[in-house]
Amino acid sequence: MHIQYGKKLKSGPGRWGLLLLAFWAAVALAGFFVTPYAPDAYAGKSFLPPSAAHWLGTNDVGQDLLSQLMAGARTSLGVAIGAALVSALLGALFGAGGTLVGCGVERLTVRMMDVGLVIPPILAAMLAAAYLRPGSFTLIGILAFFFWPGTGRLLRSQTLLLRESGPVTAAWTFGAGRWYLLRRHVLPDLAPVLSAAMIHDARRAVFLEAGLAFLGISDPTTKSWGRMIQQALAFTYLDTWGWWLLPPGIAVSSLVLAFALIGAELEETHAAD
């Protein structure tokens, strides 16, 4: 099952999702080179409205909000991509790899996935974050730890089908090892399912990262769209919502929408093929 994603995502909702994702990726990358001001630096008077000097105005301590929005894009995309990659790696290792090994290893990985699926990921991530106050890298580890059982269970079910397929059976008959089978025969055919699972995990990671920052249970030194929303809510009576509250809210919503559109297109493509 090899799907040409480029052709499938050139039209329909997937195209709009890719455009949104490319836009925020460009914003995040541009933040390394062309940020108007340092996100933590004093840039002008407090509560300045949008102007030529400050496109999104300033906050209560005179920091440039556009600079903070660009820094928040790096955080959101970094956490989303990191959590999705680590979750996919663990899911492939324990879900697909454990199934191919079989015997006691398979039973152990199945029990691990069963336990992980019982734990509500949002509540568990909130409790872990409240205790650890994680930075970006720790948060990636927390989210991936609670995401991978779902990915692993999905990959395991597909691997059970592939294990009985003709190419895998033939390779096994000719003496191929389990890890060779995983690398050359199973993982390539799991790519469509794994891609959709990664997009789903990335979407959840964006939402959870912003939510944890909004609740104030993440690293306060990490720039985040969720923390911008939290801080802006205290000053809505000053009519700052138009340039302080709305931009990060729209940013979170549009990035979640981008992953949702891409994921929906990939799932439809996988089902059709």
Side-chain angles (χ1 to χ4, degrees):
M1 184 190 307
H2 302 287
I3 299 172
Q4 296 180 334
Y5 295 118
K7 292 182 179 179
K8 298 293 184 180
L9 294 176
K10 283 183 179 180
S11 61
R15 176 183 60 181
W16 297 107
L18 282 177
L19 288 175
L20 278 173
L21 183 59
F23 170 77
W24 285 116
V27 169
L29 291 175
F32 287 108
F33 308 105
V34 295
T35 305
Y37 304 89
D40 291 321
Y42 176 78
K45 295 181 180 180
S46 302
F47 302 120
L48 288 176
S51 64
H54 305 283
W55 288 9
L56 293 180
T58 60
N59 61 12
D60 58 317
V61 292
Q63 295 169 337
D64 184 70
L65 290 174
L66 177 59
S67 301
Q68 293 197 344
L69 191 77
M70 297 173 77
R74 294 198 299 272
T75 301
S76 290
L77 281 173
V79 169
I81 294 172
L85 287 175
V86 176
S87 175
L89 177 62
L90 293 175
L93 179 63
F94 293 110
T99 301
L100 285 178
V101 172
C103 301
V105 174
E106 183 179 8
R107 288 195 295 271
L108 177 61
T109 56
V110 169
R111 295 290 82 79
M112 290 170 59
M113 288 184 285
D114 288 342
V115 172
L117 289 171
V118 171
I119 301 173
I122 295 178
L123 179 60
M126 288 174 60
L127 292 175
Y131 179 75
L132 297 173
R133 295 280 175 161
S136 295
F137 289 105
T138 306
L139 184 58
I140 287 172
I142 292 173
L143 295 180
F145 179 78
F146 293 113
F147 286 172
W148 83 263
T151 302
R153 174 56 66 90
L154 182 62
L155 295 180
R156 179 178 182 274
S157 64
Q158 295 294 316
T159 304
L160 288 172
L161 296 175
L162 293 172
R163 192 170 63 180
E164 307 301 326
S165 65
V168 173
T169 302
W172 178 260
T173 302
F174 283 101
R178 291 183 175 90
W179 297 112
Y180 177 86
L181 292 174
L182 178 66
R183 186 178 71 255
R184 296 297 299 271
H185 292 279
V186 175
L187 286 181
D189 283 338
L190 288 178
V193 178
L194 190 58
S195 299
M198 288 177 64
I199 293 295
H200 177 63
D201 287 341
R203 176 179 60 82
R204 290 198 296 170
V206 171
F207 177 78
L208 280 174
E209 186 279 324
L212 294 175
F214 175 79
L215 295 174
I217 54 177
S218 62
D219 185 357
T221 63
T222 300
K223 294 303 175 186
S224 169
W225 291 337
R227 192 166 299 279
M228 290 179 68
I229 295 172
Q230 179 204 47
Q231 294 169 346
L233 285 175
F235 299 99
T236 53
Y237 64 92
L238 295 177
D239 292 332
T240 60
W241 62 269
W243 70 82
W244 190 356
L245 180 61
L246 283 183
I250 293 172
V252 172
S253 301
S254 62
L255 187 55
V256 169
L257 177 63
F259 284 120
L261 292 174
I262 295 172
E265 191 75 15
L266 291 180
E267 289 175 0
E268 289 181 4
T269 298
H270 169 58
D273 288 80

